[in-house]
Short mmCIF file of all heavy atoms in Angstrom, two decimals:
data_model
loop_
_atom_site.label_atom_id
_atom_site.label_comp_id
_atom_site.label_asym_id
_atom_site.label_seq_id
_atom_site.Cartn_x
_atom_site.Cartn_y
_atom_site.Cartn_z
N MET A 733 0.85 -1.19 0.00
CA MET A 733 0.00 0.00 0.00
C MET A 733 0.88 1.24 0.00
O MET A 733 2.06 1.16 0.39
CB MET A 733 -0.91 0.01 1.22
CG MET A 733 -0.19 0.15 2.53
SD MET A 733 -1.36 0.15 3.90
CE MET A 733 -0.24 0.38 5.27
N PRO A 734 0.33 2.38 -0.42
CA PRO A 734 1.11 3.61 -0.33
C PRO A 734 1.47 3.90 1.13
O PRO A 734 0.65 3.73 2.02
CB PRO A 734 0.15 4.67 -0.88
CG PRO A 734 -0.81 3.91 -1.72
CD PRO A 734 -0.95 2.58 -1.07
N ASP A 735 2.70 4.30 1.35
CA ASP A 735 3.20 4.55 2.70
C ASP A 735 2.80 5.96 3.13
O ASP A 735 3.28 6.94 2.56
CB ASP A 735 4.71 4.40 2.73
CG ASP A 735 5.29 4.47 4.13
OD1 ASP A 735 4.57 4.91 5.05
OD2 ASP A 735 6.44 4.09 4.30
N PRO A 736 1.92 6.11 4.14
CA PRO A 736 1.52 7.45 4.57
C PRO A 736 2.65 8.24 5.21
O PRO A 736 2.58 9.45 5.31
CB PRO A 736 0.38 7.19 5.56
CG PRO A 736 0.60 5.79 6.03
CD PRO A 736 1.26 5.07 4.91
N LEU A 737 3.71 7.55 5.66
CA LEU A 737 4.84 8.24 6.30
C LEU A 737 5.92 8.65 5.30
O LEU A 737 6.79 9.44 5.64
CB LEU A 737 5.46 7.33 7.37
CG LEU A 737 4.51 6.86 8.47
CD1 LEU A 737 5.22 5.91 9.41
CD2 LEU A 737 3.95 8.05 9.22
N ALA A 738 5.89 8.08 4.10
CA ALA A 738 6.90 8.38 3.08
C ALA A 738 6.22 8.45 1.72
O ALA A 738 6.10 7.43 1.04
CB ALA A 738 8.00 7.33 3.10
N PRO A 739 5.74 9.63 1.33
CA PRO A 739 5.02 9.75 0.06
C PRO A 739 5.80 9.18 -1.13
O PRO A 739 7.02 9.23 -1.16
CB PRO A 739 4.85 11.27 -0.08
CG PRO A 739 4.91 11.78 1.32
CD PRO A 739 5.87 10.88 2.04
N LYS A 740 5.04 8.62 -2.06
CA LYS A 740 5.55 8.02 -3.29
C LYS A 740 6.35 6.73 -3.07
O LYS A 740 7.10 6.30 -3.92
CB LYS A 740 6.39 9.02 -4.08
CG LYS A 740 5.58 10.23 -4.51
CD LYS A 740 6.38 11.16 -5.37
CE LYS A 740 5.52 12.36 -5.72
NZ LYS A 740 6.21 13.31 -6.56
N THR A 741 6.20 6.12 -1.90
CA THR A 741 6.80 4.81 -1.66
C THR A 741 5.71 3.84 -1.24
O THR A 741 4.61 4.24 -0.85
CB THR A 741 7.90 4.85 -0.56
OG1 THR A 741 7.30 5.26 0.67
CG2 THR A 741 9.01 5.81 -0.92
N MET A 742 6.02 2.56 -1.30
CA MET A 742 5.07 1.52 -0.93
C MET A 742 5.59 0.78 0.29
O MET A 742 6.80 0.69 0.51
CB MET A 742 4.89 0.54 -2.09
CG MET A 742 4.37 1.17 -3.37
SD MET A 742 2.70 1.80 -3.22
CE MET A 742 1.77 0.28 -3.43
N VAL A 743 4.67 0.26 1.08
CA VAL A 743 5.03 -0.53 2.26
C VAL A 743 4.30 -1.87 2.17
O VAL A 743 3.13 -1.92 1.78
CB VAL A 743 4.70 0.21 3.57
CG1 VAL A 743 3.23 0.46 3.73
CG2 VAL A 743 5.23 -0.53 4.78
N LYS A 744 5.01 -2.96 2.49
CA LYS A 744 4.39 -4.29 2.49
C LYS A 744 3.61 -4.46 3.79
O LYS A 744 4.00 -3.95 4.84
CB LYS A 744 5.46 -5.36 2.37
CG LYS A 744 6.12 -5.37 1.03
CD LYS A 744 7.12 -6.50 0.91
CE LYS A 744 7.74 -6.45 -0.47
NZ LYS A 744 8.63 -7.56 -0.72
N PHE A 745 2.50 -5.19 3.69
CA PHE A 745 1.70 -5.45 4.88
C PHE A 745 1.07 -6.83 4.81
O PHE A 745 1.01 -7.47 3.76
CB PHE A 745 0.63 -4.37 5.08
CG PHE A 745 -0.47 -4.43 4.06
CD1 PHE A 745 -1.64 -5.12 4.33
CD2 PHE A 745 -0.35 -3.79 2.85
CE1 PHE A 745 -2.66 -5.18 3.39
CE2 PHE A 745 -1.36 -3.84 1.90
CZ PHE A 745 -2.52 -4.54 2.18
N ARG A 746 0.62 -7.28 5.97
CA ARG A 746 -0.07 -8.57 6.11
C ARG A 746 -1.25 -8.33 7.03
O ARG A 746 -1.12 -7.71 8.08
CB ARG A 746 0.89 -9.58 6.72
CG ARG A 746 0.30 -10.96 6.97
CD ARG A 746 1.38 -11.93 7.40
NE ARG A 746 1.99 -11.56 8.66
CZ ARG A 746 1.60 -12.00 9.86
NH1 ARG A 746 0.59 -12.84 9.97
NH2 ARG A 746 2.22 -11.61 10.96
N GLU A 747 -2.43 -8.81 6.61
CA GLU A 747 -3.63 -8.72 7.45
C GLU A 747 -4.12 -10.13 7.75
O GLU A 747 -4.11 -10.99 6.87
CB GLU A 747 -4.75 -7.98 6.73
CG GLU A 747 -4.52 -6.52 6.56
CD GLU A 747 -5.69 -5.84 5.87
OE1 GLU A 747 -6.44 -6.48 5.12
OE2 GLU A 747 -5.82 -4.63 6.07
N VAL A 748 -4.52 -10.35 8.99
CA VAL A 748 -5.05 -11.65 9.40
C VAL A 748 -6.43 -11.43 9.99
O VAL A 748 -6.60 -10.65 10.93
CB VAL A 748 -4.13 -12.34 10.44
CG1 VAL A 748 -4.72 -13.67 10.86
CG2 VAL A 748 -2.72 -12.50 9.91
N PHE A 749 -7.43 -12.09 9.40
CA PHE A 749 -8.79 -12.08 9.93
C PHE A 749 -9.03 -13.46 10.54
O PHE A 749 -8.93 -14.47 9.84
CB PHE A 749 -9.81 -11.83 8.81
CG PHE A 749 -9.80 -10.42 8.30
CD1 PHE A 749 -8.90 -10.03 7.34
CD2 PHE A 749 -10.71 -9.50 8.81
CE1 PHE A 749 -8.89 -8.73 6.87
CE2 PHE A 749 -10.71 -8.20 8.34
CZ PHE A 749 -9.79 -7.81 7.37
N ARG A 750 -9.34 -13.49 11.83
CA ARG A 750 -9.48 -14.76 12.53
C ARG A 750 -10.84 -14.82 13.23
O ARG A 750 -11.27 -13.85 13.87
CB ARG A 750 -8.36 -14.86 13.56
CG ARG A 750 -8.34 -16.09 14.41
CD ARG A 750 -7.07 -16.17 15.26
NE ARG A 750 -6.68 -14.91 15.86
CZ ARG A 750 -7.08 -14.47 17.05
NH1 ARG A 750 -7.93 -15.19 17.76
NH2 ARG A 750 -6.66 -13.32 17.53
N LEU A 751 -11.50 -15.96 13.12
CA LEU A 751 -12.75 -16.20 13.83
C LEU A 751 -12.38 -16.73 15.21
O LEU A 751 -12.04 -17.90 15.37
CB LEU A 751 -13.63 -17.20 13.07
CG LEU A 751 -14.97 -17.52 13.67
CD1 LEU A 751 -15.83 -16.25 13.78
CD2 LEU A 751 -15.67 -18.57 12.85
N ALA A 752 -12.41 -15.85 16.22
CA ALA A 752 -11.99 -16.23 17.56
C ALA A 752 -12.99 -17.18 18.22
O ALA A 752 -12.62 -18.14 18.89
CB ALA A 752 -11.80 -14.98 18.43
N ASP A 753 -14.27 -16.88 18.05
CA ASP A 753 -15.36 -17.73 18.54
C ASP A 753 -16.61 -17.31 17.76
O ASP A 753 -16.55 -16.39 16.96
CB ASP A 753 -15.52 -17.62 20.06
CG ASP A 753 -15.79 -16.22 20.55
OD1 ASP A 753 -16.72 -15.56 20.02
OD2 ASP A 753 -15.09 -15.76 21.47
N PRO A 754 -17.75 -17.96 17.98
CA PRO A 754 -18.94 -17.64 17.17
C PRO A 754 -19.42 -16.19 17.27
O PRO A 754 -20.13 -15.71 16.41
CB PRO A 754 -20.01 -18.60 17.71
CG PRO A 754 -19.24 -19.77 18.22
CD PRO A 754 -17.97 -19.16 18.80
N SER A 755 -18.99 -15.47 18.29
CA SER A 755 -19.44 -14.09 18.48
C SER A 755 -18.34 -13.05 18.29
O SER A 755 -18.57 -11.86 18.50
CB SER A 755 -20.05 -13.91 19.87
OG SER A 755 -21.19 -14.71 20.00
N ARG A 756 -17.14 -13.49 17.92
CA ARG A 756 -16.03 -12.54 17.88
C ARG A 756 -15.07 -12.83 16.73
O ARG A 756 -14.67 -13.97 16.52
CB ARG A 756 -15.26 -12.62 19.20
CG ARG A 756 -14.61 -11.39 19.65
CD ARG A 756 -14.17 -11.47 21.12
NE ARG A 756 -13.60 -12.75 21.46
CZ ARG A 756 -12.30 -12.97 21.60
NH1 ARG A 756 -11.44 -12.01 21.45
NH2 ARG A 756 -11.86 -14.16 21.92
N GLN A 757 -14.70 -11.77 16.00
CA GLN A 757 -13.67 -11.85 14.97
C GLN A 757 -12.55 -10.89 15.34
O GLN A 757 -12.80 -9.85 15.96
CB GLN A 757 -14.20 -11.41 13.62
CG GLN A 757 -15.20 -12.34 13.00
CD GLN A 757 -15.61 -11.83 11.62
OE1 GLN A 757 -14.84 -11.22 10.92
NE2 GLN A 757 -16.85 -12.08 11.27
N VAL A 758 -11.34 -11.22 14.94
CA VAL A 758 -10.19 -10.36 15.21
C VAL A 758 -9.48 -10.09 13.89
O VAL A 758 -9.23 -11.01 13.11
CB VAL A 758 -9.21 -11.03 16.21
CG1 VAL A 758 -7.99 -10.15 16.44
CG2 VAL A 758 -9.91 -11.35 17.51
N MET A 759 -9.15 -8.82 13.66
CA MET A 759 -8.37 -8.43 12.49
C MET A 759 -7.08 -7.80 12.98
O MET A 759 -7.11 -6.90 13.82
CB MET A 759 -9.13 -7.42 11.62
CG MET A 759 -8.38 -7.06 10.34
SD MET A 759 -7.08 -5.87 10.53
CE MET A 759 -7.80 -4.44 9.85
N GLU A 760 -5.96 -8.32 12.50
CA GLU A 760 -4.65 -7.76 12.84
C GLU A 760 -3.98 -7.29 11.56
O GLU A 760 -4.08 -7.95 10.52
CB GLU A 760 -3.75 -8.80 13.48
CG GLU A 760 -4.25 -9.34 14.79
CD GLU A 760 -3.36 -10.45 15.33
OE1 GLU A 760 -2.48 -10.94 14.59
OE2 GLU A 760 -3.55 -10.82 16.49
N MET A 761 -3.28 -6.17 11.64
CA MET A 761 -2.52 -5.67 10.50
C MET A 761 -1.07 -5.53 10.92
O MET A 761 -0.77 -5.01 11.99
CB MET A 761 -3.05 -4.33 10.01
CG MET A 761 -2.36 -3.84 8.78
SD MET A 761 -3.25 -2.42 8.13
CE MET A 761 -2.24 -2.06 6.72
N HIS A 762 -0.17 -6.02 10.07
CA HIS A 762 1.26 -5.97 10.32
C HIS A 762 1.93 -5.29 9.13
O HIS A 762 1.61 -5.61 7.98
CB HIS A 762 1.84 -7.38 10.46
CG HIS A 762 1.15 -8.21 11.49
ND1 HIS A 762 1.66 -8.38 12.75
CD2 HIS A 762 -0.02 -8.89 11.46
CE1 HIS A 762 0.85 -9.16 13.45
NE2 HIS A 762 -0.18 -9.47 12.69
N GLU A 763 2.83 -4.35 9.39
CA GLU A 763 3.57 -3.68 8.33
C GLU A 763 5.04 -4.07 8.41
O GLU A 763 5.56 -4.30 9.49
CB GLU A 763 3.46 -2.16 8.46
CG GLU A 763 2.06 -1.65 8.24
CD GLU A 763 1.96 -0.14 8.39
OE1 GLU A 763 3.01 0.55 8.44
OE2 GLU A 763 0.83 0.36 8.46
N THR A 764 5.68 -4.13 7.25
CA THR A 764 7.11 -4.44 7.19
C THR A 764 7.86 -3.18 6.78
O THR A 764 7.64 -2.65 5.70
CB THR A 764 7.40 -5.57 6.20
OG1 THR A 764 6.68 -6.73 6.62
CG2 THR A 764 8.88 -5.90 6.16
N ARG A 765 8.72 -2.72 7.67
CA ARG A 765 9.56 -1.55 7.42
C ARG A 765 11.00 -1.90 7.78
O ARG A 765 11.25 -2.48 8.83
CB ARG A 765 9.10 -0.35 8.25
CG ARG A 765 7.70 0.12 7.89
CD ARG A 765 7.26 1.26 8.79
NE ARG A 765 5.89 1.63 8.49
CZ ARG A 765 5.53 2.47 7.54
NH1 ARG A 765 6.45 3.04 6.79
NH2 ARG A 765 4.26 2.75 7.33
N ASP A 766 11.91 -1.54 6.91
CA ASP A 766 13.33 -1.84 7.11
C ASP A 766 13.56 -3.32 7.38
O ASP A 766 14.39 -3.70 8.21
CB ASP A 766 13.92 -0.99 8.25
CG ASP A 766 13.83 0.49 7.97
OD1 ASP A 766 14.00 0.88 6.80
OD2 ASP A 766 13.58 1.26 8.93
N GLY A 767 12.76 -4.18 6.73
CA GLY A 767 12.91 -5.62 6.87
C GLY A 767 12.34 -6.22 8.14
O GLY A 767 12.45 -7.42 8.37
N LYS A 768 11.70 -5.40 8.98
CA LYS A 768 11.14 -5.89 10.24
C LYS A 768 9.63 -5.72 10.25
O LYS A 768 9.12 -4.64 9.96
CB LYS A 768 11.75 -5.13 11.42
CG LYS A 768 13.22 -5.35 11.57
CD LYS A 768 13.78 -4.57 12.73
CE LYS A 768 15.29 -4.75 12.78
NZ LYS A 768 15.88 -3.93 13.82
N GLU A 769 8.93 -6.80 10.58
CA GLU A 769 7.47 -6.75 10.63
C GLU A 769 7.03 -6.36 12.04
O GLU A 769 7.57 -6.84 13.03
CB GLU A 769 6.89 -8.11 10.27
CG GLU A 769 5.38 -8.08 10.21
CD GLU A 769 4.77 -9.42 9.87
OE1 GLU A 769 4.66 -10.26 10.78
OE2 GLU A 769 4.41 -9.61 8.70
N ALA A 770 6.02 -5.48 12.11
CA ALA A 770 5.47 -5.05 13.40
C ALA A 770 3.95 -4.95 13.28
O ALA A 770 3.42 -4.52 12.24
CB ALA A 770 6.05 -3.71 13.81
N LYS A 771 3.26 -5.33 14.34
CA LYS A 771 1.79 -5.20 14.37
C LYS A 771 1.46 -3.71 14.52
O LYS A 771 1.97 -3.04 15.42
CB LYS A 771 1.20 -5.97 15.54
CG LYS A 771 -0.32 -5.96 15.54
CD LYS A 771 -0.89 -6.37 16.83
CE LYS A 771 -1.30 -7.71 17.07
NZ LYS A 771 -1.99 -8.04 18.27
N THR A 772 0.61 -3.21 13.62
CA THR A 772 0.26 -1.80 13.64
C THR A 772 -1.20 -1.55 14.00
O THR A 772 -1.57 -0.42 14.27
CB THR A 772 0.56 -1.14 12.28
OG1 THR A 772 -0.13 -1.85 11.26
CG2 THR A 772 2.05 -1.14 12.00
N MET A 773 -2.00 -2.60 14.00
CA MET A 773 -3.42 -2.41 14.31
C MET A 773 -4.06 -3.73 14.69
O MET A 773 -3.66 -4.78 14.20
CB MET A 773 -4.14 -1.84 13.08
CG MET A 773 -5.61 -1.65 13.27
SD MET A 773 -6.50 -0.83 11.92
CE MET A 773 -5.71 -1.34 10.44
N GLU A 774 -5.04 -3.65 15.59
CA GLU A 774 -5.88 -4.80 15.91
C GLU A 774 -7.28 -4.29 16.14
O GLU A 774 -7.48 -3.31 16.87
CB GLU A 774 -5.38 -5.52 17.17
CG GLU A 774 -6.27 -6.70 17.54
CD GLU A 774 -5.74 -7.48 18.71
OE1 GLU A 774 -4.75 -8.20 18.55
OE2 GLU A 774 -6.33 -7.34 19.81
N ILE A 775 -8.25 -4.93 15.50
CA ILE A 775 -9.66 -4.60 15.69
C ILE A 775 -10.38 -5.87 16.10
O ILE A 775 -10.21 -6.92 15.47
CB ILE A 775 -10.29 -4.06 14.39
CG1 ILE A 775 -9.56 -2.80 13.93
CG2 ILE A 775 -11.79 -3.78 14.60
CD1 ILE A 775 -10.01 -2.31 12.58
N VAL A 776 -11.18 -5.78 17.16
CA VAL A 776 -11.97 -6.93 17.62
C VAL A 776 -13.43 -6.60 17.33
O VAL A 776 -13.97 -5.59 17.81
CB VAL A 776 -11.76 -7.19 19.13
CG1 VAL A 776 -12.64 -8.34 19.58
CG2 VAL A 776 -10.28 -7.47 19.41
#
């Protein structure tokens, strides 16, 4: 996706949508910067 911190560059990301139980889903987003992946968001 376009990198909001560095215009005109792209950043790799990974999103995981998980069914935690019948009443709950979890979405996690991880971005890779400088070769290191870090979790940047979680929505329940």
Side-chain angles (χ1 to χ4, degrees):
M733 66 180 182
D735 188 345
L737 303 176
K740 298 184 181 181
T741 62
M742 300 294 279
V743 63
K744 291 184 180 185
F745 70 94
R746 178 173 63 93
E747 290 181 335
V748 179
F749 288 84
R750 179 172 42 90
L751 181 61
D753 58 51
S755 297
R756 211 166 41 103
Q757 291 182 33
V758 178
M759 184 280 255
E760 297 176 349
M761 184 170 180
H762 305 261
E763 294 179 12
T764 301
R765 297 177 184 275
D766 299 323
K768 296 179 184 175
E769 185 180 80
K771 185 196 264 188
T772 56
M773 178 174 34
E774 179 176 287
I775 300 173
V776 178

